[in-house]
Amino acid sequence: MEFKRSDFPEGFIFGAATAAYQIEGHKFGGAGPTHWDTFAATPGNVVRQEDGALACDHYHRYAEDLDLLQAAGMDGYRFSTSWARVMPEGRGAVNEEGLDYYDRLVDAMLERGLQPFQTLYHWEMPAALSDLGGWTNRDVASWFGDFTDVITRRLGDRVQATATINEPWCVAFLSHFLGIHAPGHRDIRDTARAMHHVLLAHAEAMERMRANGTKNLGVVLNFDRAVPANDTPGAAQAATLQDGIFNRWYIEAITKGTYPADVLEGLLQYMPKGWEEDLTRINQPMDWLGVNYYTRNHYERDDNISWPHLKLAEGPLPKTQMGWEIYPEGLHYFLTRLAKDYVGDMPIYVTENGMAWGDTVENGAVFDPERMAYVNDHMLATKRAIEDGANVKGFFYWSLLDNYEWAEGYEKRFGMVHVDFETLKRTPKATYHALANALKG
Ligand code: IFM
């Protein structure tokens, strides 16, 4: 790596991130069914119809996994607490086994000197609430608020920071408009409702946590560096609209209390009643912002497609196993843009950044120079953003482990630690060792 710990400000947190359904093994410990279980069981949605029932069995192997973070000299661990594990029906009865598990997990982090960064919703909507419309039902905000209250009353005294929702764009647009993630809807009215309700749920969770004394609260948004595919006005307009749908919708509502006019133009007629009044609640103070960044995408306008008339075009740069262009400048772009236009001095954490590659174990080791370069270049982009004034306080690699990559099943490997999904054996990759080395300096 071309950076070392001492190149970053004092107290900068280096860590790795995961999410409950992707690693825990959802079949263990009395968790209730989620919309991902049923989505995955429906042919055509997920590669090989794989689900998170076993995943990495982190539920039983978390100590070994946290040991790996500690041995690498990491400072923090970003994890999520599954709603359906804590409240199997989504509302009402609490699963004590689930709460006890998260208690043990957080204590195990603290014993190893790892700062716990919790995320409350990383996509496993309890199936019973999905039956009631999930994110399309306005009541989701109060259901989520109740869950938030239960889990944060239990863990809030020991976690370093809590995020409400991971990647609202994925929760709403990817899952209700593009149909790629659970619940797999393709409906613009559902989409507009989900895009609003996910923010309302964020607001409700913030209020519940402020009321119960949980400290250091934020949200985790993902950002797409949307650029025109060519120099036509249509492509410029398409890239701007994608920037609105993916990026500005969420950050603008949260930090300014407005929705971008260009996106509303397409969605207004599908918005739920009373959305305007909710914006004051959505725009409430936060303590930090989480930024997930992976790639750049190229857009053109296609008038044969209805709103938003967007067509993706192939980009010229090398791509990861996901087919995502590798574009570290995009991370610098967002960190500095967010500081300048939206959050000012508020602490920003890079809560996810990483790449999938078709890693294999050879003679007991995984050599992944492509990932080493990816991490190196994104860390340097982060460093430049700090030098250019962004108040970035930490960086979490996605992901600690190879895991369940949602609709891609177990095929795409993002981990800094390889997982053999037959034996569940963990093998730290060369990137893990290189990072550990950089953190000594
Ligand atoms: O695996 C996902 C994660 O759950 C959310 N952010 C993007 C990652 C890679 O696709």
Side-chain angles (χ1 to χ4, degrees), residues 64-118:
E64 178 191 346
D65 296 336
L66 298 180
D67 284 347
L68 285 166
L69 282 166
Q70 184 186 28
M74 299 278 171
D75 314 299
Y77 176 48
R78 177 171 175 246
F79 69 110
S80 77
T81 43
S82 161
W83 188 347
R85 179 176 295 293
V86 173
M87 296 170 106
E89 292 290 308
R91 302 182 286 181
V94 168
N95 172 29
E96 288 300 330
E97 220 178 320
L99 279 180
D100 290 347
Y101 163 67
Y102 288 123
D103 249 345
R104 293 195 297 277
L105 184 67
V106 168
D107 286 344
M109 289 177 219
L110 295 175
E111 279 158 23
R112 289 165 179 77
L114 298 165
Q115 298 181 38
F117 277 65
Q118 179 187 11

Side-chain angles (χ1 to χ4, degrees), residues 87 120 139-150 152-153 164 200-215 217 281 284:
M87 296 170 106
L120 295 170
D139 292 343
V140 72
S142 62
W143 303 331
F144 183 60
D146 292 344
F147 158 63
T148 297
D149 203 39
V150 169
T152 56
R153 276 180 194 279
T164 53
L200 192 60
H202 158 75
E204 175 93 24
M206 294 291 283
E207 288 161 3
R208 300 290 192 106
M209 290 191 284
R210 296 275 185 230
N212 74 22
T214 308
K215 300 274 185 308
L217 313 180
R281 284 181 70 199
Q284 56 178 285

Side-chain angles (χ1 to χ4, degrees), residues 22 122-123 166-167 294 324 352 398 405-406 414:
Q22 293 180 270
H122 200 125
W123 304 356
N166 182 70
E167 300 183 350
Y294 289 90
W324 295 350
E352 285 183 29
W398 182 271
E405 180 50 29
W406 308 111
F414 276 91

Side-chain angles (χ1 to χ4, degrees), residues 21 109 299 312:
Y21 191 82
M109 289 177 219
Y299 295 89
L312 264 175

